[in-house]
Amino acid sequence: MTLSGSPEDQAAAAWIVADEIMRERTGGRPRSYEKWRDATLNGVKLTGKDHLLVEYFVKPVFEAAAAKKKGNHGLAGYVGEWLWYLLTRDLPQDSARAVEILGPPKPAVNDGGGDGLIVYREDGTARGFSFRLWEMKKYTGKTNQPDGAIRSGWTQLNTKAGTYLGRDTR
């Protein structure tokens, strides 16, 4: 499926990401997830107990990110992690390179660890497995030299990749 830049396609993509995030954050709990979904689709503001049912799942990411200093990129990073995960999850399967591990993004915006990890089982190779670890860093474009953001991401992956994979590489 290809999306255009139309407002309708952008709204559809935003809805898919928001719905997936809320389904995961609520653990699919019918009362919380369905209250959020119904209110969102109907343009209704939740109040009272319904508001509390949903707030518990929304507040740690969305309110915490919004409350931080101007220019905070936590929320954009969280949505970016979800975009990577959803696109990776929905890629066509390759029988010679099966996805062994692919988990949803971390529960909190600034939790430690890589922003995306996928492990493949490599059939017919001596390696057996391969992985990709994605790390996102914000580059504001204030200068024409993004090397600081790139170096920061590389350093983090270089020094912590083993712990992201569950083993110490020191």
Side-chain angles (χ1 to χ4, degrees):
M1 175 170 155
T2 303
L3 297 174
S4 71
S6 73
E8 294 82 10
D9 277 1
Q10 290 176 2
W15 171 254
I16 290 167
V17 173
D19 188 59
E20 291 275 357
I21 288 172
M22 287 305 293
R23 184 184 317 269
E24 178 69 25
R25 291 200 66 74
T26 62
R29 290 173 183 84
R31 288 181 57 210
S32 300
Y33 171 72
E34 289 172 12
K35 288 284 184 191
W36 169 82
R37 191 174 195 279
D38 291 345
T40 302
L41 289 173
N42 294 313
V44 175
K45 184 174 181 173
L46 293 173
T47 59
K49 289 181 182 181
D50 292 343
H51 175 80
L52 292 175
L53 273 173
V54 174
E55 179 184 42
Y56 174 79
F57 299 102
V58 174
K59 194 173 184 178
V61 170
F62 301 102
E63 186 175 272
K68 292 188 178 181
K69 64 182 181 176
K70 184 179 177 184
N72 176 275
H73 65 278
L75 185 55
Y78 190 70
V79 171
E81 287 182 41
W82 271 93
L83 285 170
W84 177 88
Y85 167 72
L86 294 172
L87 291 169
T88 303
R89 181 194 72 185
D90 295 341
L91 285 173
Q93 294 295 313
D94 180 350
S95 60
R97 190 175 195 221
V99 173
E100 189 74 21
I101 298 172
L102 174 64
K106 305 173 298 277
V109 176
N110 294 319
D111 277 356
D115 295 334
L117 170 67
I118 184 168
V119 177
Y120 298 98
R121 180 178 297 276
E122 303 276 355
D123 289 343
T125 67
R127 295 182 302 205
F129 295 94
S130 67
F131 73 92
R132 288 185 179 179
L133 181 62
W134 179 65
E135 178 63 36
M136 182 165 34
K137 294 295 177 198
K138 181 165 184 168
Y139 171 64
T140 60
K142 292 181 180 177
T143 68
N144 288 331
Q145 299 176 339
D147 57 329
I150 294 167
R151 187 176 309 105
S152 174
W154 167 250
T155 301
Q156 184 174 346
L157 288 174
N158 191 37
T159 59
K160 298 181 180 179
T163 54
Y164 297 161
L165 295 170
R167 59 181 163 72
D168 192 352
T169 57
R170 287 181 263 162

